[in-house]
């Protein structure tokens, strides 16, 4: 099991003849803090490696919440949430909203909301994926989100996601699958076959030249598979190659005819690890934005000791489809958030409880931030260059790509001050494009005070990204402080 192991832990122990240098003496408090940072990072690695798709991420979140005595409720059912109660609901098994009502909560009190997302750029298997070309059995894929697609070449890939399986009783069930071995590869083109101008600036067609291969078409390798088991499209041609279906069926313990449909992501089989000479980095996939997802879960769960005295409802929203604009039934632009919040603020004698609650609420939109790059420092504005280990990043944009303003920024800084978490500032250069988050979407849709933050990272949207270990513990500490301290800090605000 390689999950959570550092790169140095995988190396051979061949240093017996080398002189051993004693590390500088450190105080016990420094050592304890360092140990906690590492422990937080290692636990995040476990979560990350267990979450190769949004469906797996929500499944992991569900497991963590159940272990913390949260109660699962269904949207189609009637709820009777009570002060001090802890609940969560899923939608599509790829989005989740958890909420803990303060012991002093009433329907018109505010919401302390943290929002993050469960999806990341990846390749996804097409509805009809069977492709045979040039002697290879390939898998047709779509590009989901804005990935750095060149980084997907020459990686050991597998598939993960959900499969809709028909049971013997005729029910349709949601099953998770994660093939734990490399079965797919997107081969690069060797430099020898590239023209001189192509060598200088290489580009490729994502539809015709980015082809994941599953096998070759050599008859002796395929003759043992029963082609008749393949799912077929309306014209009778196979929708998916029998090889792929055979792998899925072995994982799920079912027959090809039992598979009604699936949503599969391609994923790197190399696990996320601690790295660097001092093991201060996290190298892995999907840091954007499973780090924020994990930290939001930890903050909500670990802040329970102060819940009895809270007047607010503490809410954690984990959305699917952020990377493609959030415009879906389970994205941040859907009615999911408003529906849940209205149910929490329902009152028999308070007609405008929801509106009163929103006016006292705040959203922390937690999404990863861009650390300054050692090779491309000029891409950052001179006075806004977040550094790894420098603290959490407060993201601002006057064109509302981020929803931070002076009020929400001040409230966030006060929470950070109580937690002892440093804050770094980030804006893009005037000659640079700017990404966006769920923050502006929810802020506009709900009239909700919002701040955008993130832990600093490098290589965002690569198949392998980089962040620092301290980013995990700092993010948890800041979100924990927000849940605990926001109502009191907000009471000091004399605006509107």
């Amino acid at each position: 099991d390689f999950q959570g192991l550092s790169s140095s832990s995988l190396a051979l122990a061949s240093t017996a003849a080398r002189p051993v240098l004693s590390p500088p003496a450190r105080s016990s408090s420094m050592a304890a803090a360092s140990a906690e940072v590492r422990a937080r990072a290692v636990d995040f690695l476990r979560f990350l490696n267990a979450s190769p798709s949004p469906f797996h991420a929500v499944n992991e979140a569900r497991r963590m919440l159940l272990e913390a005595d949260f109660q699962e409720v269904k949207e189609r059912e009637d709820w009777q949430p009570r002060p001090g109660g802890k609940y969560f609901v899923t939608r599509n098994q790829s989005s989740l909203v958890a909420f803990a009502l303060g012991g002093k909560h009433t329907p018109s009190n505010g919401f302390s909301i943290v929002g993050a997302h469960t999806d990341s750029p990846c390749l996804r298997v097409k509805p009809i994926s069977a492709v045979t070309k040039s002697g290879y059995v390939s898998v047709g894929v779509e590009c989901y989100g804005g990935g750095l697609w060149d980084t997907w070449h020459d990686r050991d890939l597998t598939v993960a996601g959900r499969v809709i399986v028909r049971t013997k009783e005729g029910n349709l069930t949601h099953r998770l699958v994660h093939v734990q071995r490399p079965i797919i590869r997107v081969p690069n083109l060797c430099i020898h076959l590239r023209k001189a101008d192509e060598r200088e600036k290489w580009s490729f067609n994502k539809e015709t030249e980015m082809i994941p291969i599953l096998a070759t078409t050599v008859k002796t390798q395929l003759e043992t598979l029963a082609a008749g088991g393949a799912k077929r499209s309306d014209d009778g041609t196979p929708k998916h190659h029998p090889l792929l279906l055979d792998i899925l069926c072995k994982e799920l313990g079912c027959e090809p005819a039992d598979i009604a449909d699936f949503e599969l992501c391609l994923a790197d089989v190399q696990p996320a690890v601690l790295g660097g000479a001092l093991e201060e980095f996290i190298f892995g996939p999907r840091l954007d934005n499973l780090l924020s997802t994990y930290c939001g879960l930890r903050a909500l769960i670990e802040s329970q000791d102060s819940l009895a005295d809270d007047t607010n409802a503490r809410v954690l929203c984990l959305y699917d489809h952020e990377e493609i604009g959030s415009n879906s039934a389970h994205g941040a632009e859907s009615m999911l958030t408003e529906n849940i919040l209205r149910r929490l603020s329902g009152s028999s004698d308070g007609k405008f409880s929801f509106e009163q609650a929103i006016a006292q609420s705040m959203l922390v939109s937690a999404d990863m931030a861009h650390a300054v790059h050692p090779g491309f420092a000029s891409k950052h504005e001179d006075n806004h260059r977040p550094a790894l280990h420098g603290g959490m990043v407060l993201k601002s944009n006057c064109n509302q790509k981020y929803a931070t303003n002076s009020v929400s920024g001040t409230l966030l800084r006060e929470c950070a001050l109580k937690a002892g978490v440093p804050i770094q500032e980030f804006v893009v250069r005037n000659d640079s494009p700017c990404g966006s988050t769920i923050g502006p979407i929810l802020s506009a849709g709900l009239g909700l005070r919002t701040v955008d933050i993130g832990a600093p990272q490098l290589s965002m949207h690569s198949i392998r990204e980089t962040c620092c270990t301290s980013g995990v513990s700092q993010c948890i500490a800041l979100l924990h402080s927000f849940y605990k301290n926001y109502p009191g800090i907000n009471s000091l605000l004399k605006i509107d």
Side-chain angles (χ1 to χ4, degrees):
D1 182 4
F2 294 104
Q3 292 189 5
L5 294 181
S6 67
S7 53
S8 65
S9 301
L10 302 177
L12 294 175
S14 59
T15 59
R18 302 175 188 172
V20 178
L21 302 178
S22 300
R26 295 191 300 172
S27 68
S28 59
S29 60
M30 289 176 62
S34 179
E36 181 181 0
V37 167
R38 181 185 175 87
R40 291 285 199 187
V42 169
D43 191 60
F44 166 60
L45 290 178
R46 181 209 56 75
F47 175 86
L48 182 59
N49 289 326
S51 304
S53 77
F55 306 107
H56 287 82
V58 166
N59 187 62
E60 281 297 297
R62 182 177 177 274
R63 180 191 61 78
M64 292 170 63
L65 291 167
L66 288 172
E67 288 180 355
D69 297 324
F70 279 69
Q71 177 185 344
E72 184 171 13
V73 295
K74 305 293 184 181
E75 284 190 272
R76 60 178 176 269
E77 298 173 350
D78 183 33
W79 307 341
Q80 298 297 329
R82 53 179 177 76
K86 302 174 297 182
Y87 312 88
F88 71 93
V89 61
T90 63
R91 181 181 284 188
N92 190 52
Q93 295 294 321
S94 62
S95 294
L96 180 147
V97 179
F99 43 96
L101 275 60
K104 299 178 181 179
H105 176 263
T106 63
S108 60
N109 288 0
F111 305 109
S112 305
I113 309 172
V114 172
H117 63 90
T118 60
D119 62 322
S120 302
C122 66
L123 300 176
R124 296 201 173 189
V125 177
K126 289 181 176 179
I128 301 176
S129 70
V131 178
T132 301
K133 185 179 181 181
S134 303
Y136 295 98
V137 174
S138 301
V139 180
V141 294
E142 292 182 277
C143 296
Y144 177 88
L148 292 175
W149 302 120
D150 57 312
T151 65
W152 284 73
H153 287 94
D154 302 328
R155 303 293 306 186
D156 298 338
L157 303 176
T158 189
V159 292
R162 70 138 164 232
V163 182
I164 305 301
V165 177
R166 184 176 288 103
T167 67
K168 293 180 180 179
E169 296 76 23
N171 296 320
L172 298 173
T173 61
H174 160 106
R175 299 279 302 278
L176 294 180
V177 65
H178 181 195
V179 179
Q180 300 276 354
R181 63 185 179 93
I183 62 172
I184 293 174
R185 197 172 182 88
V186 182
N188 216 326
L189 180 66
C190 67
I191 194 170
H192 312 82
L193 299 182
R194 301 184 190 184
K195 298 176 183 178
D197 60 328
E198 292 177 331
R199 295 183 185 186
E200 290 294 325
K201 189 175 182 180
W202 176 244
S203 63
F204 54 91
N205 186 297
K206 296 190 291 292
E207 176 64 24
T208 61
E209 296 172 336
M210 190 176 184
I211 307 297
I213 58 174
L214 187 66
T216 66
T217 55
V218 179
K219 183 178 179 181
T220 54
Q221 294 180 332
L222 302 180
E223 62 186 3
T224 58
L225 291 171
K231 299 294 290 184
R232 297 182 179 274
S233 58
D234 292 340
D235 63 3
T237 58
K239 293 182 66 175
H240 306 288
H241 197 278
L243 265 176
L244 179 60
L245 291 175
D246 183 66
I247 291 171
L248 296 177
C249 289
K250 287 179 179 178
E251 292 286 327
L252 297 170
C254 67
E255 297 298 324
D258 299 331
I259 296 178
D261 206 347
F262 54 66
E263 295 169 72
L264 297 179
C265 305
L266 270 59
D268 194 345
V269 298
Q270 182 179 355
V273 296
L274 298 184
L278 302 176
E279 296 191 342
E280 62 183 301
F281 302 126
I282 296 175
F283 302 146
R286 302 178 298 279
L287 300 181
D288 174 23
N289 191 35
L290 291 186
L291 187 147
S292 303
T293 291
Y294 169 83
C295 293
L297 285 161
R298 277 282 162 232
L300 181 64
I301 291 169
E302 294 176 11
S303 63
Q304 295 180 57
D305 58 350
S306 60
L307 186 63
D309 294 325
D310 200 349
T311 58
N312 275 16
R314 300 175 181 180
V315 183
L316 175 65
C317 300
L318 306 177
Y319 302 101
D320 196 2
H321 290 165
E322 188 274 345
E323 295 292 356
I324 56 171
S326 299
N327 187 16
S328 73
H330 29 281
E333 201 168 358
S334 72
M335 291 292 293
L336 173 61
T337 311
E338 182 175 343
N339 287 348
I340 300 296
L341 298 184
R342 283 190 178 277
R343 293 178 76 162
L344 297 184
S345 59
S347 173
S348 59
D349 57 356
K351 183 177 180 180
F352 299 107
S353 293
F354 173 73
E355 289 79 5
Q356 290 175 283
I358 287 293
Q360 303 174 74
S361 301
M362 179 165 158
L363 165 68
V364 176
S365 169
D367 207 343
M368 300 298 281
H370 302 292
V372 65
H373 192 293
F376 300 93
S378 62
K379 294 293 185 180
H380 276 67
E381 201 273 339
D382 288 347
N383 293 325
H384 301 84
R385 293 184 170 182
L388 298 180
H389 298 302
M392 292 296 290
V393 181
L394 183 62
K395 301 187 284 186
S396 302
N397 182 268
C398 67
N399 296 302
Q400 290 297 291
K401 296 295 186 180
Y402 304 129
T404 305
N405 64 15
S406 60
V407 176
S408 61
T410 297
L411 293 170
L412 190 282
R413 290 187 193 92
E414 290 296 311
C415 292
L417 186 64
K418 288 182 176 293
V421 175
I423 293 295
Q424 308 181 83
E425 304 275 353
F426 175 76
V427 297
V428 297
R429 291 168 54 104
N430 287 321
D431 56 0
S432 172
C434 183
S436 192
T437 68
I438 61 172
I441 294 171
L442 291 167
S443 178
L446 294 171
L448 184 63
R449 181 184 296 135
T450 300
V451 63
D452 272 291
I453 66 162
Q457 74 160 96
L458 297 168
S459 307
M460 188 178 291
H461 289 193
S462 172
I463 194 172
R464 301 285 293 183
E465 301 173 320
T466 298
C467 70
C468 56
T469 52
S470 61
V472 180
S473 55
Q474 288 174 343
C475 189
I476 295 172
L478 178 56
L479 298 180
H480 186 149
S481 178
F482 169 71
Y483 278 135
K484 178 180 179 180
N485 297 308
Y486 169 69
I489 295 172
N490 185 54
S491 69
L492 304 175
L493 185 67
K494 307 304 178 184
I495 297 176
D496 297 335

